[in-house]
């Protein structure tokens, strides 16, 4: 592209960052990175009654967790009030905007009258050519929309979308409390920041003709537009809490990896052949607007969970240990100040990463490794740790104690030998030992467990199992 690409993500801080918002941010970020352009973060906080600092903090935390870094910003619209005032004054001086003194009650009556007549309930232009300016009466500033003609939106995904001007009304650009409105400030900001492409949800498509007219009135270059489809739940209705979590940080707290969530969201409406799993570098290389579909994307939690499992299976153990650590602390398996190195935390990961779908699940499955005092499934302990198994565990204790070094093959030979001498199936020996060493009937392979725990911990837990059995007699 001849003109350097400049795109923006402009969330309103009125709540948590929604999954749909993140996909919009992601598509903008990928587009910028693919074209070696700039990605700008702008906080649209002009709605003072609903915007909160907590929401701003959450938006920034979400973006950082996902690795969607920005080149400029975060800008805040509340810091740019003087710019908006200047642009409002410009439109008034050029007779492109005017004060409107209609009260809320009058506007409501106008709407009802229009609806009763079967007309579109738009503002009827009462104050459009008014010359008097009553003192002491609150007023808004409205933009004069051309009464004839049409606006053509050249959408990069949908082609030309045409809106008739007669369908549009004179939108308010400045409220009576002197705060500017969304449709106005977004145009001023995009023009001021040199935005070349506006990639956003198709729920904004109806705003676009008004904004395009404002670009023209302010003599600003129109950016190119691409309106992406909405994300729907599995029942094909708009994605909401009933379909599962919609907050980005909720997925972080549920143990999803940021790369998996990014990969999944990229595939909601965009494709590159049949490829499902992408590195970040591949997404940047392959991304193009041409491969975005305009049909609604359906959010499938099971597909996300599968993809998360793929990321867990293929992750570097040390990097995964860093991501796993807070979950171990939350599960009470590690203290806040535990002193363990990342290498130590990573030790059980190769035995668990093929079995865990989330980091929470991995933390829970690794409890046997990190717990100093083992937590038992009482039903399993009472079933498997009994007087019949006691002599075989005692043989195992003696043999393991005599081993110079623990090795997988020698442990396997030992278990088979003891099972054969006792005329037991191997599982009848391995399962009680598994319960003794891990507290449950589900774990990695029994030889892996022993190698992970090491000789001292293995012998300690086997002796504790013998003591438990003796107390039951």
């Amino acid at each position: 592209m001849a003109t350097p690409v400049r795109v923006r993500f402009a969330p309103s801080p009125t709540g948590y960052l929604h999954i749909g918002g993140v996909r919009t941010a992601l598509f903008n970020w990928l587009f910028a990175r693919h074209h070696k352009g700039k990605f700008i973060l702008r906080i649209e906080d002009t709605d003072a009654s609903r915007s909160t600092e907590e929401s701003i903090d959450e938006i920034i935390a979400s973006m950082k967790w996902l690795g969607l870094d920005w080149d400029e910003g975060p800008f805040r619209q509340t810091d740019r009030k003087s710019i908006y005032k200047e642009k409002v004054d410009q439109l008034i001086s050029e007779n492109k905007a005017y004060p409107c003194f209609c009260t809320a009650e009058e506007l409501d009556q106008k709407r009802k009258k229009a609806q009763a007549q079967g007309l579109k309930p738009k503002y009827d232009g009462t104050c459009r050519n008014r010359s008097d300016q009553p003192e002491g009466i609150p007023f808004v500033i409205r933009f004069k929309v051309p009464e004839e003609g049409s606006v053509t939106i050249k959408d990069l995904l949908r082609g030309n979308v045409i809106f008739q001007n007669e369908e549009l009304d004179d939108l308010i650009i400045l409220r009576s409390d002197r705060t500017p409105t969304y449709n106005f400030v977004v145009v001023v900001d995009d023009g001021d920041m040199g935005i070349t492409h506006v990639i956003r949800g198709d729920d904004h498509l109806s705003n676009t003709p008004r904004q395009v007219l404002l670009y023209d009135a302010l003599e600003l270059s129109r950016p190119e537009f691409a309106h992406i489809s909405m994300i729907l739940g599995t029942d094909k209705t708009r994605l909401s809490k009933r379909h599962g979590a919609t907050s980005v940080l909720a997925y972080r707290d549920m143990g999803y990896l940021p790369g998996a969530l990014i990969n999944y969201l990229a595939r909601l409406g965009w494709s590159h052949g049949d490829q499902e799993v992408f590195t970040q570098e591949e997404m940047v290389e392959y991304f193009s607007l041409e491969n975005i579909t305009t049909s609604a994307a359906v959010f499938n939690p099971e597909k996300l969970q599968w993809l998360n499992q793929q990321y867990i299976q293929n992750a570097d153990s040390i990097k995964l240990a860093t991501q796993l650590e807070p979950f171990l602390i939350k599960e009470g398996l590690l203290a806040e100040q535990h002193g363990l190195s990342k290498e130590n935390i990573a030790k059980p990961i190769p035995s668990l990463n093929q079995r865990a779908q989330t980091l929470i699940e991995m933390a829970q499955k690794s409890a046997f490794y990190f717990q100093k005092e083992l937590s038992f499934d009482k039903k399993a302990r009472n079933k498997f740790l009994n007087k019949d198994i006691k002599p075989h565990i005692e043989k195992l204790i003696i043999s393991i104690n005599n081993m110079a070094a623990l090795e997988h093959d020698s442990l396997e030979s030992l278990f088979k030998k003891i099972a054969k001498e006792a005329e037991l199936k191997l599982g009848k020996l391995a399962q009680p030992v598994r319960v003794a060493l891990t507290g449950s009937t589900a774990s990695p392979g029994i030889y892996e467990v022993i190698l992970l725990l090491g000789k001292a911990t293995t012998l300690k837990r086997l002796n504790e199992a013998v003591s438990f059995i003796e107390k039951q007699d």
Side-chain angles (χ1 to χ4, degrees):
M1 294 186 180
T3 305
V5 164
R6 290 177 62 82
V7 296
R8 46 72 167 180
F9 176 53
S12 298
T14 55
Y16 57 74
L17 187 54
H18 189 276
I19 282 292
V22 171
R23 188 188 59 161
T24 299
L26 173 62
F27 282 8
N28 277 280
W29 185 88
L30 288 171
F31 188 74
R33 296 292 173 258
H34 177 82
H35 292 288
K36 296 180 172 52
K38 299 294 184 185
F39 176 67
I40 297 159
L41 178 60
R42 186 173 76 221
I43 306 297
E44 299 195 335
D45 59 346
T46 52
D47 189 345
S49 65
R50 299 176 62 215
S51 298
T52 66
E53 292 299 320
E54 291 78 13
S55 293
I56 293 173
D57 291 343
E58 177 156 329
I59 287 167
I60 290 173
S62 300
M63 297 286 283
K64 286 182 176 179
W65 177 65
L66 291 168
L68 299 180
D69 56 329
W70 50 91
D71 303 298
E72 297 175 22
F75 298 108
R76 292 177 62 161
Q77 288 180 329
T78 47
D79 296 332
R80 296 169 53 79
K81 291 179 181 177
S82 61
I83 298 172
Y84 307 138
K85 183 180 183 304
E86 178 188 320
K87 296 299 183 183
V88 169
D89 291 344
Q90 176 188 330
L91 291 176
I92 293 173
S93 68
E94 294 173 356
N95 197 29
K96 296 174 181 176
Y98 61 92
C100 174
F101 298 91
C102 296
T103 65
E105 292 76 15
E106 288 172 334
L107 292 172
D108 189 48
Q109 288 175 2
K110 292 175 188 293
R111 276 192 292 271
K112 288 178 179 176
K113 182 180 178 181
Q115 287 172 333
Q117 294 174 346
L119 301 173
K120 187 179 178 70
K122 66 174 191 172
Y123 180 63
D124 64 1
T126 297
C127 296
R128 185 179 176 111
N129 297 309
R130 186 169 179 169
S131 56
D132 65 314
Q133 293 202 9
E135 291 185 13
I137 297 178
F139 63 91
V140 300
I141 301 296
R142 290 183 182 272
F143 171 62
K144 281 187 178 180
V145 171
E147 295 176 296
E148 298 178 347
S150 62
V151 181
T152 300
I153 309 301
K154 296 178 180 178
D155 191 284
L156 295 170
L157 301 180
R158 301 162 190 275
N160 288 345
V161 184
I162 300 172
F163 295 86
Q164 299 302 319
N165 289 341
E166 64 184 8
E167 293 293 314
L168 310 174
D169 57 3
D170 290 353
L171 72 151
I172 296 171
I173 59 174
L174 194 70
R175 302 181 185 93
S176 58
D177 64 0
R178 315 335 286 157
T179 57
T181 59
Y182 164 76
N183 276 310
F184 179 64
V185 294
V186 73
V187 169
V188 174
D189 287 342
D190 285 348
D192 194 48
M193 296 175 185
I195 300 302
T196 60
H197 296 76
V198 172
I199 304 169
R200 60 188 178 188
D202 60 11
D203 54 328
H204 284 286
L205 185 56
S206 61
N207 290 323
T208 308
R210 297 172 175 84
Q211 293 171 8
V212 162
L213 290 170
L214 279 165
Y215 282 110
D216 295 348
L218 291 167
E219 298 181 352
L220 298 171
S221 298
R222 294 186 188 184
E224 295 192 72
F225 293 93
H227 290 91
I228 59 179
S229 64
M230 303 294 288
I231 299 178
L232 304 180
T234 49
D235 58 358
K236 303 298 175 68
T237 61
R238 187 166 181 167
L239 188 67
S240 66
K241 287 183 179 178
R242 72 177 179 276
H243 301 113
T246 54
S247 159
V248 173
L249 294 186
Y251 284 94
R252 178 197 65 183
D253 297 342
M254 288 191 296
Y256 286 83
L257 298 182
L261 185 57
I262 284 288
N263 190 155
Y264 181 70
L265 291 177
R267 287 286 290 110
L268 280 182
W270 171 79
S271 63
H272 179 74
D274 296 326
Q275 188 170 340
E276 291 287 349
V277 182
F278 294 84
T279 64
Q280 191 176 88
E281 292 75 20
E282 287 175 327
M283 282 188 277
V284 169
E285 180 183 351
Y286 301 145
F287 187 79
S288 69
L289 295 178
E290 289 77 16
N291 290 327
I292 294 177
T293 177
T294 54
S295 57
V298 176
F299 188 88
N300 185 331
E302 288 77 22
K303 183 70 174 289
L304 171 59
Q305 196 169 68
W306 172 83
L307 196 57
N308 198 57
Q309 189 170 23
Q310 303 305 304
Y311 270 72
I312 286 175
Q313 288 175 358
N314 295 297
D316 172 77
S317 290
I318 299 298
K319 185 177 180 182
L320 197 59
T322 302
Q323 296 167 311
L324 178 64
E325 184 178 8
F327 292 92
L328 295 171
I329 293 169
K330 191 174 181 181
E331 291 288 327
L333 299 172
L334 286 181
E336 287 278 357
Q337 305 297 324
H338 51 75
L340 284 183
S341 67
K342 293 295 184 288
E343 287 74 17
N344 275 327
I345 295 173
K347 277 185 180 178
I349 286 175
S351 300
L352 300 169
N353 63 358
Q354 301 302 306
R355 299 172 172 85
Q357 291 184 313
T358 67
L359 292 175
I360 289 179
E361 192 179 339
M362 179 173 278
Q364 291 169 345
K365 287 179 182 295
S366 67
F368 75 90
Y369 177 76
F370 292 102
Q371 282 177 332
K372 288 184 171 58
E373 295 300 324
L374 205 56
S375 296
F376 280 91
D377 176 334
K378 291 181 180 178
K379 187 176 178 182
R381 182 164 65 173
N382 292 333
K383 177 181 178 181
F384 289 103
L385 299 185
N386 53 52
K387 61 183 181 181
D388 293 334
I389 201 66
K390 180 188 168 197
H392 311 310
I393 292 179
E394 288 174 328
K395 279 186 182 180
L396 202 58
I397 290 170
I398 294 168
S399 299
I400 290 175
N401 191 48
N402 289 334
M403 282 184 174
L406 298 183
E407 294 175 349
H408 183 281
D409 291 348
S410 56
L411 285 169
E412 185 177 9
S413 298
L414 173 60
F415 269 74
K416 287 181 176 178
K417 178 174 178 291
I418 292 174
K420 184 177 180 181
E421 289 173 354
E423 297 182 349
L424 290 173
K425 287 187 176 180
L426 189 58
K428 295 291 185 181
L429 173 62
Q431 196 68 327
V433 173
R434 176 175 282 106
V435 172
L437 295 180
T438 70
S440 77
T441 55
S443 78
I446 191 62
Y447 314 131
E448 289 179 77
V449 168
I450 293 172
L451 292 171
L452 268 173
L453 293 175
K455 181 187 280 192
T457 301
T458 297
L459 292 173
K460 176 178 177 289
R461 292 185 180 180
L462 290 176
N463 278 305
E464 286 171 350
V466 171
S467 298
F468 170 78
I469 293 168
E470 289 174 345
K471 288 175 183 176
Q472 309 311 302
D473 291 343

